[in-house]
Amino acid sequence: MKDKFITNTGVEIPLDKSGFVFVEENPRFKDSFWTNYTLPISVQYDRDFLSKFGQYSSHTNTGLKRYHEGIHLFEGKIRKGKLEIMEFRNNNLKLQIDSGFENLPNFDKKLSDLPLLEIEVTDIYEHANKIVTKKYPDTEYNFPRLYTDEYNLDDEAWKYFDSFINNRNNLESTTGEKVFPRNRVENGMDVYNKNIIHPMPYLLYVLQVGFMDAGFRLSGEILDDPYLKQRCIWSGTHYYIDAEQKEHKAAIYQEDFYETGMSTDYAAENSSAPEQGGKWKKQIRIGAPGRYRLIIDSNLNYNGQKYEGKIKISSPQIIDLQNLAEESLRNNNYHIEKVFSVSEAQALKGAEILIECSEYGVPNQEDQNGKSIGIAQIYINPMRQHTDSGVPIIYVFNENKINLKKAVPDMTFGDLVNTIKNLRNYDLEFIGNRAVMNIIKVDKTMPTVPFEEFEVPDPIRKFNDKSFFNLKFPDVEDIQTQNIFIDDQGYHMNYKNVPSDATEININVFCLPMTYFRGVYTAKAYSENALMLVYYDGLKNGDNNASNPEGLMDESLAQNLVGWYKNRLTNFSYKWKFVVPKNKIRKYNIRSEISCYNKKHWIKSWTKKSLSDTLYLVEIETETF
């Protein structure tokens, strides 16, 4: 099978001729993933190529594509690829091909755009109480209790809040068992924001969904990594929705009549009645629970006469406003008052009030300042749920649904994968439909692949270009993060005098720290632009408190990483060129661990230049271990 690129439109570009150069770098030696690529290739036009690929030879043509998706056939392997047009002239163009899967198509996709779990539940409080007894992989998410100091407990909205997200206790239980306290409004007047229910997806679940979204199944050591397996993701954002009781005011004007020309016996008896009447209706949506007072006022006076009307108030959700009889407004100014209550469930769905009225076309009226106030005025006034200064008190809704799209931080899937790669020193390799993530280890007992036949007499040898590594975690107020500095002697925690030539690797992740509050020992919630992890593996002594076992962001992590980084500082780099038949080099790949020059090597990078249909000129760079 000859090397070629085939676009999705069927255009074939041969790559087995002289001049084609393929560059590949080992992602183990980078702090991010990327695609393999070719150096720019010059392609001559012919009529068939232009008709299928695009009229790049024309100076007047528009709408030419810069990128072409397709398949890269290389060394007998099929890779997805993308071809980029670098420049074009009258007779030829230059193009570059990116291929391989180290950079997935969805790496730029936000975590919230992944197909994460969305389900309805019957009762979120009871649902959370069942889920907290489980751990991953028996559940994709959980409800660990977190302490938060975000809310002012002296505020009317939070005076009943205990400063815990996913709070669980037996203070309101009728059986003595621990439950999640419910938010409610008592007596239609007092707002009890007792709890914030916030599901947190497990890290491994989000990783699996991300790779599945790209067509791969996650496998490898990462699925059983004891430091990651029971880690949940804390988004640092508000998952709940809130609403406040609002006053509603509306005026009805003659122009609001949607049906005119009414006629009644009363009109026949009163020659001075307006000839034109009509019907109007008004729909109002209530968004917060509590008690309300509905008031409707109108004046049916016209030229000293009083006229009639009929009004109907209804609501499909609010029980207090259901089955009300139609009221007659004949010969009277009308003033109607109704007191009603809206429950949390009704407010979440949107409690609708419909007011329908038929009356004679009395002209729009004016207030004492001469301002038009229409033919009717509607007021819906909340009863009590305001502070003494008149500020509305919000109500926290814990919806009966799980939406993990709302429970992830504002970061891309690629950022998440790269963060975990750097945190635990993972490699990512694609084998068939599997995305394999294994920890990169320095194991000198592992067998290597013989590479001696490609030795040259005098390769370039040098010390590695790295002198120091500094693994840096986010700076978070009140958290003593432990950066890891590594030199040829080993690791140092929070090293103060980091040399300017140290290679810095930023790892944008931290574990929520532990804290005591009111006798509860659990993790504290933060709001940072970083991946924030929470450890939770089920109830402990009946409590859903989070924990933070050793292994991440501490000396245990340094002990796990130092072998790899120290090896990179203390071994040597080799570089040489050789000519080889294409079919002999194809059994090796960029991750092959090879033996030559009486040493074991990792391939750091190589460049393959096609000299003919059968020969490569290979330039290879390795690091010993």
Side-chain angles (χ1 to χ4, degrees):
M1 184 183 296
K2 292 186 176 182
D3 296 341
K4 66 180 75 173
F5 187 89
I6 306 174
T7 70
N8 290 341
T9 58
V11 178
E12 294 191 12
I13 300 174
L15 300 176
D16 54 349
K17 305 300 181 183
S18 62
F20 166 69
V21 180
F22 182 73
V23 180
E24 193 171 15
E25 297 173 306
N26 193 334
R28 293 177 176 180
F29 295 90
K30 299 287 185 179
D31 60 0
S32 61
F33 299 109
W34 64 95
T35 56
N36 309 312
Y37 60 93
T38 67
L39 296 183
I41 305 163
S42 181
V43 175
Q44 297 294 316
Y45 298 140
D46 60 31
R47 181 173 298 179
D48 184 59
F49 179 89
L50 292 173
S51 65
K52 293 181 179 179
F53 201 66
Q55 296 295 327
Y56 289 89
S57 62
S58 171
H59 286 266
T60 60
N61 209 346
T62 59
L64 297 174
K65 292 175 62 177
R66 179 174 180 175
Y67 299 101
H68 298 261
E69 304 287 338
I71 298 296
H72 185 194
L73 301 178
F74 183 66
E75 296 184 345
K77 299 176 183 177
I78 299 176
R79 311 162 181 249
K80 286 185 179 180
K82 181 170 68 175
L83 181 151
E84 179 182 1
I85 306 298
M86 309 296 290
E87 60 183 58
F88 42 98
R89 306 182 69 180
N90 289 342
N91 300 311
N92 63 79
L93 56 76
K94 284 188 177 180
L95 54 86
Q96 178 172 305
I97 298 169
D98 292 340
S99 68
F101 288 110
E102 277 77 7
N103 197 3
L104 290 176
N106 69 345
F107 263 23
D108 291 332
K109 184 179 285 190
K110 292 285 190 179
L111 295 182
S112 57
D113 293 329
L114 295 176
L116 299 172
L117 185 69
E118 293 182 83
I119 59 171
E120 300 277 346
V121 299
T122 303
D123 185 300
I124 190 63
Y125 299 95
E126 293 181 0
H127 178 76
N129 211 35
K130 292 178 181 177
I131 294 296
V132 290
T133 64
K134 302 178 180 181
K135 61 183 179 180
Y136 185 82
D138 296 327
T139 178
E140 296 92 351
Y141 55 93
N142 226 307
F143 299 88
R145 176 161 55 181
L146 303 181
Y147 165 70
T148 176
D149 60 4
E150 178 181 351
Y151 306 98
N152 181 3
L153 303 188
D154 293 328
D155 190 297
E156 283 288 323
W158 301 103
K159 63 182 179 180
Y160 298 114
F161 187 60
D162 291 326
S163 295
F164 292 108
I165 296 165
N166 295 328
N167 196 17
R168 182 175 180 271
N169 55 45
N170 58 6
L171 299 180
E172 298 184 6
S173 172
T174 58
T175 64
E177 296 181 355
K178 292 183 178 180
V179 297
F180 285 78
R182 295 172 178 268
N183 295 350
R184 60 192 183 274
V185 177
E186 291 198 354
N187 303 317
M189 308 287 282
D190 207 1
V191 176
Y192 278 69
N193 287 322
K194 295 285 292 181
N195 217 339
I196 293 173
I197 307 298
H198 186 126
M200 301 178 208
Y202 280 99
L203 169 66
L204 292 185
Y205 163 73
V206 176
L207 285 172
Q208 287 179 311
V209 171
F211 283 111
M212 180 183 64
D213 183 56
F216 294 92
R217 176 172 57 86
L218 181 62
S219 63
E221 295 173 345
I222 192 168
L223 295 181
D224 291 305
D225 188 328
Y227 298 103
L228 300 180
K229 191 170 185 178
Q230 302 301 333
R231 299 278 177 178
C232 296
I233 296 175
W234 164 246
S235 66
T237 58
H238 289 175
Y239 176 85
Y240 65 85
I241 60 174
D242 59 46
E244 59 189 35
Q245 280 194 304
K246 295 180 179 179
E247 295 182 358
H248 296 267
K249 296 180 181 180
I252 306 299
Y253 296 88
Q254 272 194 328
E255 293 78 10
D256 293 323
F257 283 136
Y258 68 91
E259 184 178 314
T260 59
M262 58 184 289
S263 176
T264 67
D265 294 338
Y266 181 76
E269 297 170 0
N270 293 270
S271 59
S272 62
E275 295 182 359
Q276 289 296 320
K279 296 180 179 180
W280 58 262
K281 63 182 177 182
K282 188 69 176 179
Q283 195 167 18
I284 299 173
R285 184 185 181 95
I286 306 298
R291 287 177 65 78
Y292 295 82
R293 187 185 305 277
L294 168 65
I295 300 172
I296 306 173
D297 282 321
S298 184
N299 187 345
L300 293 179
N301 280 317
Y302 179 69
N303 289 336
Q305 299 290 329
K306 295 182 179 180
Y307 302 106
E308 68 173 10
K310 293 181 179 180
I311 193 165
K312 173 73 174 176
I313 302 169
S314 62
S315 172
Q317 297 93 11
I318 303 172
I319 296 175
D320 293 338
L321 299 181
Q322 293 176 354
N323 303 315
L324 296 180
E326 185 177 67
E327 297 189 31
S328 175
L329 308 175
R330 184 168 182 167
N331 274 337
N332 198 6
N333 294 343
Y334 63 85
H335 174 86
I336 296 174
E337 288 193 21
K338 302 288 183 185
V339 174
F340 62 92
S341 296
V342 176
S343 70
E344 177 181 355
Q346 292 165 353
L348 270 174
K349 293 180 180 179
E352 302 282 355
I353 299 174
L354 179 63
I355 304 169
E356 300 174 281
C357 185
S358 59
E359 62 178 76
Y360 285 102
V362 177
N364 293 331
Q365 301 172 48
E366 296 180 348
D367 63 14
Q368 59 186 6
N369 297 318
K371 180 181 178 181
S372 176
I373 58 174
I375 59 176
Q377 298 81 46
I378 301 171
Y379 308 91
I380 298 179
N381 299 323
M383 298 174 66
R384 167 63 180 85
Q385 290 171 230
H386 290 67
T387 64
D388 293 339
S389 59
V391 178
I393 300 173
I394 67 166
Y395 182 85
V396 173
F397 288 107
N398 293 312
E399 295 183 275
N400 291 324
K401 62 176 64 175
I402 301 295
N403 183 358
L404 297 185
K405 292 174 179 286
K406 291 174 53 180
V408 288
D410 182 20
M411 65 190 313
T412 66
F413 179 57
D415 290 337
L416 177 66
V417 175
N418 285 327
T419 298
I420 298 305
K421 164 191 164 59
N422 293 331
L423 178 65
R424 296 282 292 136
N425 200 29
Y426 270 102
D427 190 14
L428 171 62
E429 184 176 7
F430 294 91
I431 303 174
N433 68 342
R434 293 186 300 130
V436 183
M437 293 189 73
N438 290 323
I439 293 177
I440 303 170
K441 306 180 184 73
V442 180
D443 187 352
K444 298 184 179 182
T445 66
M446 289 290 291
T448 54
V449 182
F451 207 73
E452 286 84 359
E453 63 178 305
F454 306 117
E455 293 180 356
V456 298
D458 189 19
I460 298 172
R461 290 169 291 165
K462 61 179 182 178
F463 295 103
N464 282 321
D465 56 359
K466 307 294 184 184
S467 301
F468 313 96
F469 288 98
N470 189 42
L471 279 59
K472 194 171 186 303
F473 294 93
D475 292 324
V476 182
E477 186 177 355
D478 299 329
I479 296 181
Q480 183 63 40
T481 54
Q482 299 192 56
N483 298 329
I484 302 171
F485 177 78
I486 300 173
D487 58 19
D488 58 3
Q489 300 301 309
Y491 68 85
H492 311 269
M493 306 302 295
N494 287 331
Y495 193 70
K496 300 300 182 184
N497 301 312
V498 177
S500 59
D501 60 343
T503 299
E504 187 169 282
I505 299 176
N506 289 296
I507 307 177
N508 192 29
V509 60
F510 69 95
C511 301
L512 294 186
M514 301 297 290
T515 190
Y516 271 109
F517 185 76
R518 294 181 177 175
V520 175
Y521 187 58
T522 191
K524 180 181 178 181
Y526 280 77
S527 180
E528 297 290 332
N529 184 25
L531 176 64
M532 294 176 281
L533 299 179
V534 182
Y535 191 94
Y536 184 77
D537 62 345
L539 297 176
K540 295 292 183 291
N541 299 318
D543 291 322
N544 63 321
N545 296 332
S547 60
N548 186 19
E550 292 184 353
L552 295 182
M553 294 181 59
D554 55 27
E555 193 161 352
S556 296
L557 177 64
Q559 292 169 356
N560 288 329
L561 297 178
V562 67
W564 165 255
Y565 287 104
K566 186 177 177 181
N567 181 82
R568 295 202 59 199
L569 296 174
T570 57
N571 279 286
F572 302 99
S573 171
Y574 278 64
K575 192 173 185 179
W576 72 98
K577 297 179 182 180
F578 56 94
V579 176
V580 61
K582 291 182 177 180
N583 60 358
K584 293 191 70 174
I585 200 70
R586 287 180 177 178
K587 68 178 181 179
Y588 303 93
N589 63 63
I590 195 67
R591 290 178 172 83
S592 294
E593 297 175 354
I594 60 176
S595 58
C596 54
Y597 299 108
N598 297 316
K599 291 183 178 294
K600 295 182 177 182
H601 300 247
W602 283 298
I603 300 173
K604 189 175 181 180
S605 66
W606 57 14
T607 299
K608 300 174 182 177
K609 181 177 181 180
S610 181
L611 300 178
S612 68
D613 290 351
T614 59
L615 292 177
Y616 277 138
L617 172 62
V618 176
E619 182 174 356
I620 188 171
E621 183 177 4
T622 68
E623 280 195 14
T624 61
F625 67 96

